Amino acid sequence: MEDRFAPNALMPDPLQSLAFRMLQQSACADQHGDAAPKLSRRAFLGLSALLTSCATQPESVLIGQDPITSRPDTRGPIPRNPTMRLKSNFSLANQDITYRRALVSGNLIAMTFDDGPQPENTPRLLDILRERNIKATFYVIGKCVNAYPDVVRRTVEEGHEIGNHSQTHRLLSSLGDSALHWEMQSCRDAVLNASGYHMRTMRPPYGGLNQRQRELVYQTYGYPTILWSVDPLDWQNRIPSVISSRIVSHTHPGAIVLAHDLHATTVSAMPSTLDQLLYRGYKFVTVSQLLALHSEHAKEQAQGLTANP
Ligand code: NI
């Protein structure tokens, strides 16, 4: 499916992916004791067995491996992203409402981090981003926002974008409209209550949202659906150097890079990843800034076509 586009052809087994992610979300729900659906013991054991059966594949999950410190001290000063004074207000009239990448001039890219906030990893990531003057976009889960509102407040205060990643991280394409609205509204309200922030975009968990739902979400909340063009499969492989090399080798101008601040190993991969991208001349913007530039670019092209038929 094009919604699952992964340019490095490292496509996960969908069942393995879903099982692994359900285990993660279950742990989050159990920890916070909220109203999110929980796995039964039987389902948990079944999913664990499924993951174990997949563990002999080449891209197996290496749970418990020590994070590798990814930036040696001998490389000189930390590179910094230029301050990007770009507008975040985009208008998508007569344009697409689904984005995997943007068409822009210049080496602009957006880093996105899903499934937080997480109480240790997200603050560590915020430190890494601040050192480099990089603004990123965080697709947060509402129930985790309710559990860690202070982390969301800090994220907003430091100039990052927040996007809607649903309340409980369910597969939205399997839901009816009322449940879909509840997922969107609950996450929207959680972020608003925590930080006063109004989100402008959404990313469906697992990339799962059909076209009719995308139009419904856009008409109701104004959220375009944001997917990705670079996927390091960081939920599956827990070696920071592998995550880093996958991102660096596949990133392109206008890229929307998918990563997860849920995972300590992903955060450990970021210093090296971000530094290499900066050394290659990439500049980091938020998703809304990227969309605003894309939208202007598309309008200019349309006007050019009208002026020079
Ligand atoms: Ni997610």
Side-chain angles (χ1 to χ4, degrees):
M1 287 172 56
E2 60 177 353
D3 287 354
R4 297 282 186 169
F5 174 62
N8 52 9
L10 292 165
M11 293 295 288
D13 179 302
L15 199 56
Q16 184 191 5
S17 168
L18 193 58
F20 189 82
R21 302 295 291 278
M22 285 179 72
L23 282 175
Q24 291 173 328
Q25 299 309 327
S26 174
C28 188
D30 288 342
Q31 187 179 345
H32 311 323
D34 62 13
K38 298 178 181 178
L39 291 179
S40 67
R41 178 174 167 77
R42 177 176 293 185
F44 184 90
L45 292 173
L47 289 168
S48 299
L50 176 62
L51 283 172
T52 304
S53 72
C54 297
T56 54
Q57 294 179 1
E59 296 290 341
S60 61
V61 178
L62 299 175
I63 296 171
Q65 172 155 341
D66 290 333
I68 299 168
T69 303
S70 52
R71 191 173 190 285
D73 292 334
T74 53
R75 286 176 46 196
I78 295 172
R80 282 177 65 82
N81 194 50
T83 298
M84 308 297 289
R85 302 191 192 285
L86 300 169
K87 67 173 187 174
S88 299
N89 293 330
F90 55 80
S91 166
L92 301 178
N94 302 317
Q95 295 184 31
D96 291 338
I97 59 166
T98 300
Y99 291 87
R100 296 170 182 81
R101 57 168 296 171
L103 295 176
V104 293
S105 55
N107 287 340
L108 302 175
I109 59 173
M111 283 298 305
T112 65
F113 296 96
D114 289 13
D115 297 354
Q118 202 278 345
E120 290 88 31
N121 300 330
T122 308
R124 186 158 67 95
L125 175 60
L126 290 172
D127 290 344
I128 292 167
L129 294 170
R130 187 166 57 186
E131 283 180 320
R132 292 160 178 79
N133 195 36
I134 288 172
K135 309 302 180 195
T137 304
F138 291 79
Y139 286 99
V140 297
I141 298 173
K143 66 181 180 181
C144 298
V145 173
N146 288 334
Y148 308 111
D150 53 329
V151 179
V152 175
R153 274 194 291 279
R154 179 184 163 188
T155 307
V156 170
E157 284 167 4
E158 297 191 1
H160 302 287
E161 178 169 358
I162 309 284
N164 193 320
H165 198 45
S166 83
Q167 181 68 9
T168 65
H169 207 271
R170 294 171 72 188
L171 182 63
L172 301 179
S173 56
S174 70
L175 302 182
D177 288 351
S178 63
L180 172 62
H181 280 303
W182 183 85
E183 291 283 345
M184 290 292 99
Q185 289 168 0
S186 301
C187 181
R188 178 193 64 188
D189 295 345
V191 170
L192 201 54
N193 291 338
S195 63
Y197 186 90
H198 293 269
M199 297 182 285
R200 292 183 290 265
T201 66
M202 71 85 70
R203 172 174 284 157
Y206 318 105
L209 198 66
N210 66 45
Q211 183 61 26
R212 190 191 65 79
Q213 291 176 310
R214 291 178 193 181
E215 289 167 7
L216 178 63
V217 165
Y218 180 70
Q219 287 162 7
T220 309
Y221 306 97
Y223 301 149
T225 296
I226 307 301
L227 300 172
W228 54 87
S229 62
V230 179
D231 180 1
L233 302 179
D234 60 327
W235 56 268
Q236 187 186 50
N237 189 301
R238 303 303 183 87
I239 304 174
S241 60
V242 172
I243 296 167
S244 185
S245 69
R246 286 177 178 174
I247 292 175
V248 171
S249 61
H250 289 100
T251 293
H252 54 87
I256 298 174
V257 180
L258 171 66
H260 296 82
D261 54 327
L262 181 66
H263 305 309
T265 40
T266 297
V267 176
S268 295
M270 282 306 114
S272 170
T273 304
L274 301 173
D275 290 354
Q276 289 181 68
L277 292 172
L278 286 167
Y279 285 130
R280 288 178 182 221
Y282 286 109
K283 299 183 179 74
F284 294 82
V285 297
T286 65
V287 164
S288 283
Q289 288 175 329
L290 203 58
L291 284 191
L293 289 168
H294 174 101
S295 174
E296 290 299 315
H297 187 76
K299 283 174 190 164
E300 284 169 14
Q301 287 207 319
Q303 286 166 358
L305 286 174
T306 305
N308 302 296

